[in-house]
Amino acid sequence: MEYKFIRDTVDLITKVGNFDEREFRGCTESQIEALEHLLPEYSYLPESYYEFLKFGGNGICSMLSGTDFYFPQVYALRAERKLQNLKSAGFFSEKFDYDSYLKNELFLFYYHQGYFARFFYMDGSDDPNIYYYEAGLPYDFLLTQEQSFSQYLYTEVASFITQYQQSIVNVDIELRNRVKFYRNGLLDTLDALESIPVSTGTKLTQDAKRRYAEIIRNTYRLLFDYPFYALYEYDYVFSPKNYSQSPEMGNDDLQELVEMMYELEKEGKDIIFYVNELKKNG
């Protein structure tokens, strides 16, 4: 896809060299249409936001993990009329000018932990201004953050890259290469799990498929939302044969993943082999 408004952002993060292209998970047209179906009549998503959805609307690496920012969360916010609920919940100050600012064209695209929100207006602009508000502020208006969504996104991505690079500044080349290898392995596994046909007989129920996919995602987030020394510490997640027994861990998802991989390793197999067998025999 040719990007007109977010080209600089796409170039910035794709040229860093430490990310796999599968870490940029764009939305499908059907997903975008579903979101547009929730908009007021004659309202349209800005072109810059549409480009973001196509490039990474389902996730950009581990950026903004824990924040309602990507399609599944934003869709839910819109479907649940979150913007209207914020008004009744006292998110804004008592003197807030609702008539002037909370119009139908206002779009909530960022919501963090119940106290911070970002918005833009669907006013016909292809690259609209970005506004924000924080619970507890005394203002009766939305505060301006950026002059365009594209500039906001670039700033967000640049900040994420800086944090990412700082986390690996003291990691040697060998470990960096291993990190990349493990990340690709996780992504390969997730892709394989998600590609299993709906009908798999008793070999792998849909509930189990979703569970395993969730385990992989949670493991990925744990490893890559922290400095990379954590990966070195938890290296056994990917090499259980190096240990005489499955280690005790506090995280249920990691424990389940370790046990699953440990059993497969004893058989001389791995998760990818197991999944491919299910697909072939299912």
Side-chain angles (χ1 to χ4, degrees), residues 194 203 211:
E194 292 181 339
K203 294 182 178 295
R211 178 60 181 154

Side-chain angles (χ1 to χ4, degrees), residues 7-249:
R7 167 48 56 194
D8 289 345
T9 300
V10 172
D11 288 344
L12 176 66
I13 196 164
T14 55
K15 292 180 180 179
V16 169
N18 293 307
F19 302 114
D20 188 285
E21 63 180 10
R22 290 170 295 180
E23 293 179 89
F24 315 129
R25 294 182 174 270
C27 291
T28 64
E29 283 295 334
S30 61
Q31 286 178 317
I32 296 176
E33 289 174 2
L35 181 58
E36 290 177 327
H37 184 71
L38 299 177
L39 303 181
E41 190 175 9
Y42 305 119
S43 292
Y44 304 93
L45 294 173
E47 187 65 23
S48 56
Y49 189 70
Y50 173 83
E51 289 183 359
F52 155 70
L53 291 175
K54 291 296 290 184
F55 173 70
N58 280 309
I60 297 178
C61 308
S62 59
M63 187 180 83
L64 293 178
S65 177
T67 298
D68 294 341
F69 178 70
Y70 296 107
F71 168 77
Q73 300 88 23
V74 172
Y75 180 88
L77 291 175
R78 194 76 193 181
E80 297 166 1
R81 299 174 59 84
K82 187 65 176 182
L83 192 56
Q84 289 74 15
N85 293 339
L86 290 179
K87 177 180 177 180
S88 59
F91 179 82
F92 301 97
S93 72
E94 293 181 358
K95 299 180 180 180
F96 192 83
D97 187 351
Y98 294 105
D99 292 337
S100 298
Y101 292 96
L102 293 197
K103 302 176 182 179
N104 287 337
E105 295 78 19
L106 188 64
F107 188 87
L108 173 63
F109 74 91
Y110 179 114
Y111 186 59
H112 183 72
Q113 303 295 318
Y115 70 88
F116 190 89
R118 290 190 172 101
F119 320 83
F120 57 72
Y121 286 101
M122 297 176 289
D123 56 6
S125 171
D126 287 333
D127 202 10
N129 291 355
I130 301 303
Y131 303 90
Y132 73 94
Y133 201 88
E134 184 173 351
L137 291 178
Y139 305 115
D140 61 355
F141 55 89
L142 297 179
L143 293 88
T144 302
Q145 178 171 1
E146 296 285 358
Q147 297 302 312
S148 66
F149 176 81
S150 60
Q151 182 57 48
Y152 158 75
L153 185 63
Y154 184 91
T155 302
E156 195 75 76
V157 168
S159 175
F160 165 72
I161 290 174
T162 298
Q163 295 175 26
Y164 175 89
Q165 291 175 331
Q166 289 175 347
S167 71
I168 64 173
V169 67
N170 295 319
V171 179
D172 61 39
I173 297 298
E174 179 182 358
L175 183 53
R176 290 191 196 189
N177 290 337
R178 293 171 66 206
V179 165
K180 189 172 184 179
F181 171 77
Y182 291 141
R183 177 171 59 229
N184 291 344
L186 280 172
L187 292 169
D188 286 339
T189 303
L190 186 56
D191 285 346
L193 285 167
E194 292 181 339
S195 67
I196 297 175
V198 173
S199 176
T200 55
T202 58
K203 294 182 178 295
L204 186 64
T205 66
Q206 284 301 100
D207 286 342
K209 171 186 169 182
R210 283 192 292 268
R211 178 60 181 154
Y212 289 145
E214 180 183 353
I215 292 170
I216 298 298
R217 288 194 185 93
N218 289 343
T219 304
Y220 178 88
R221 292 191 185 107
L222 177 68
L223 293 177
F224 294 101
D225 283 347
Y226 289 88
F228 286 152
Y229 65 77
L231 181 66
Y232 200 85
E233 178 183 353
Y234 291 122
D235 198 26
Y236 57 78
V237 171
F238 302 94
S239 301
K241 66 181 180 182
N242 295 331
Y243 290 79
S244 59
Q245 59 183 5
S246 180
E248 294 183 2
M249 303 171 64

